[in-house]
Amino acid sequence: MTTAIPGAFHPSTRLYRFTILIFISLLVVGSYFAYDSIGALATTLIKELHIDRATIGKLYAAYSVAAIAIVFFGGMLYDKLGPRRASLLFSCLVFLGAVIVAAAKTKWMLFTGRLIFGAGSESLIVVQSAIIARWFKGKEMAMAFGIALAISRLGTLFAFNTEELIADHFHSFRTALWAAALLCLFSVVCNLVFIVMDRHGEQELALPKAGAGDKIVLSDIKKFTSSYWFVVLLCVTFYSAIFPFTDLAADMFHDKWGLPSVSAVTGGFLTKVFYNFTHMFTTAPGITSIVIAASMVFAPFAGGLVDRIGRRASLMVLGSLLLIPAHLLLGITHWNPIPMMVVLGAAFVLVPAAMWPSVPLVVEESRVGTAFGLMTAIQNLGLGLFPLLNGWLRDKTGTYTSTQVMFAGLGLVGLVFAFLLLRADRRHGGVLEAGSSSQG
């Protein structure tokens, strides 16, 4: 009796697994771009729409409000539709929300678009995480999450380095917002490719039916250990010190350091795009994107490192510590901001690479969906509150000093939670600190 040898592109091969990972990652490139298009265009939107910085914060908060609601009440959609059809639904919601934002004539249309966009975008990220876990569990999961993060955040990198350029070149901020909507449509197309590949892989490998994603089951919550809760608390403080900061960072670099929104160069549009990317350290949005660029380049390597050496809690301590001096120096000095942004980028590499793969290690397998869902919901509480505080403090004080002290304070609180996590992990057997060889 002979055994059939799978082809080079059979679903059981590493090539197929990493190819589908590319399309899984591209599912959210459009939403990442559209999410940060508001922050990238903040200076222009404030001027053209006659809005204050607090309104920019409210547009980010609207996203988070929708994200919290969908995490709590969207579980039945996952159960009914399954991740493939649900991902297509949420991709279409992302596209619809981006279209409404681009076409908005009133402030309320802007908020409506961001609400719809937030409901689709956060749910799409949830589905993405569930699919990655299904394809890479027991293999290269932390590396896969790192690669997905790197590809996904191409959207953010391009948003900060092209949106103001598009608005300037075409003399319309709406053209820039329509570019965001178009990229969301591209992600819908990538979603269709992923669906075909995932269905084929499921049939060939007899994979178990994908779970409902990060669905919250309230009865599971009381079973979580202190290690899980410290990861959650670190998650909300850490991300609240990163994303609400980048929401208005381009405006801060423009206002405080006098950096231009786009590089002054003549030529065609693609020439300007290339010049802005190669000279990103000379523009306000470009310097903002340093944090994202660092995570894109180094996240896959950090994920592979975590897979090998473990030390997850220790890496979270180190990453949290880096936030404090970086934010303080940005707030109280006029030193060149690039070194501080590099430090923030290093933190943004270390903590997520260690944090997200830690969740399945500190909760029972049957409760992983609830664990991720609850963590995402609580994270978005912070991502809804701190953009509001960021914009409000800037409008009230006229400077960014108080906001940077606030973000440094979040880093300090996160550092406390990271140390508590390290201590709790030691009590629970050191599973987070163990590397692949220790885990057998």
Side-chain angles (χ1 to χ4, degrees):
M1 181 177 177
T2 60
T3 302
I5 300 175
F9 200 60
H10 189 270
S12 63
T13 64
R14 203 165 185 257
L15 177 60
Y16 194 98
R17 196 162 63 246
F18 278 90
T19 300
I20 197 172
L21 177 63
I22 292 173
F23 288 99
I24 293 169
S25 305
L26 291 173
L27 295 182
V28 299
V29 164
S31 64
Y32 273 64
F33 186 98
Y35 175 82
D36 278 309
S37 62
I38 299 296
L41 291 166
T43 302
T44 297
L45 294 176
I46 290 167
K47 185 191 332 181
E48 295 290 334
L49 297 178
H50 307 291
I51 57 178
D52 56 18
R53 291 167 180 84
T55 301
I56 299 294
K58 289 175 184 176
L59 288 171
Y60 278 98
Y63 172 98
S64 295
V65 168
I68 293 168
I70 203 69
V71 167
F72 274 102
F73 300 110
M76 56 184 163
L77 279 176
Y78 301 135
D79 287 335
K80 186 173 182 62
L81 300 177
R84 287 192 294 266
R85 283 186 291 176
S87 70
L88 186 58
L89 169 64
F90 295 135
S91 290
C92 291
L93 282 177
V94 165
F95 176 56
L96 175 61
V99 166
I100 293 174
V101 168
K105 301 296 185 184
T106 67
K107 189 184 295 186
W108 292 114
M109 278 188 70
L110 276 174
F111 283 113
T112 299
R114 289 292 283 188
L115 283 168
I116 294 172
F117 175 78
S121 179
E122 200 66 27
S123 302
L124 197 57
I125 294 170
V126 164
V127 172
Q128 183 194 52
S129 298
I131 295 296
I132 291 173
R134 182 167 75 138
W135 276 92
F136 287 89
K137 186 174 181 180
K139 298 181 178 72
E140 312 93 345
M141 191 161 68
M143 181 187 292
F145 272 102
I147 292 172
L149 194 64
I151 296 175
S152 300
R153 286 196 173 137
L154 277 171
T156 300
L157 185 69
F158 271 85
F160 279 114
N161 287 283
T162 64
E163 281 291 77
E164 277 284 10
L165 179 61
I166 294 170
D168 179 73
H169 183 80
F170 294 98
H171 308 292
S172 171
F173 69 89
R174 291 200 183 278
T175 305
L177 293 176
W178 279 113
L182 187 62
L183 198 56
C184 290
L185 181 61
F186 167 76
S187 286
V188 173
V189 175
C190 292
N191 200 337
L192 295 174
V193 177
F194 150 71
I195 287 171
V196 172
M197 292 189 68
D198 188 71
R199 182 181 291 116
H200 177 62
E202 186 175 79
Q203 293 169 350
E204 289 290 320
L205 301 178
L207 294 173
K209 184 178 179 181
D214 300 357
K215 178 185 175 184
I216 294 177
V217 179
L218 295 178
S219 60
D220 287 346
I221 296 175
K222 60 185 179 183
K223 305 291 180 63
F224 293 144
T225 65
S226 59
S227 291
Y228 168 76
W229 289 111
F230 289 136
V231 170
V232 170
L233 292 170
L234 174 58
C235 176
V236 69
T237 53
F238 180 81
Y239 278 95
S240 294
I242 295 289
F243 287 128
F245 161 71
T246 60
D247 295 347
L248 282 172
D251 183 68
M252 179 180 75
F253 295 134
H254 178 74
D255 182 62
K256 182 175 178 178
W257 277 273
L259 293 167
S261 296
V262 295
S263 295
V265 62
T266 58
F269 176 68
L270 292 180
T271 300
K272 292 179 179 179
V273 170
F274 178 77
Y275 190 88
N276 265 260
F277 267 98
T278 55
H279 295 77
M280 69 167 61
F281 290 170
T282 65
T283 68
I287 290 180
T288 301
S289 70
I290 289 175
V291 175
I292 304 303
S295 71
M296 282 179 52
V297 173
F298 295 109
F301 301 103
L305 181 67
V306 170
D307 281 332
R308 290 195 304 274
I309 71 168
R311 301 294 181 187
R312 296 167 184 84
S314 297
L315 289 173
M316 286 185 256
V317 168
L318 176 59
S320 301
L321 180 63
L322 292 176
L323 292 179
I324 302 170
H327 278 306
L328 281 178
L329 290 174
L330 284 170
I332 64 179
T333 75
H334 280 79
W335 296 351
N336 188 326
I338 293 175
M340 285 80 88
M341 293 300 289
V342 171
V343 172
L344 286 179
F348 200 42
V349 169
L350 293 174
V351 174
M355 182 168 60
W356 293 101
S358 294
V359 174
L361 299 178
V362 297
V363 302
E364 294 179 24
E365 185 174 0
S366 62
R367 299 188 176 95
V368 168
T370 296
F372 273 126
L374 187 62
M375 186 167 162
T376 301
I378 295 174
Q379 174 195 24
N380 275 285
L381 287 174
L383 296 183
L385 172 63
F386 286 99
L388 296 176
L389 290 176
N390 188 16
W392 180 81
L393 283 171
R394 172 61 179 86
D395 288 332
K396 287 293 182 182
T397 64
T399 73
Y400 278 102
T401 302
S402 56
T403 64
Q404 292 308 114
V405 171
M406 175 183 71
F407 291 132
L410 285 169
L412 179 60
V413 174
L415 180 62
V416 172
F417 290 140
F419 273 118
L420 291 173
L421 172 63
L422 184 60
R423 188 176 69 174
D425 183 58
R426 288 169 180 164
R427 289 201 309 267
H428 295 141
V431 65
L432 296 182
E433 293 291 276
S436 57
S437 59
S438 301
Q439 292 173 351

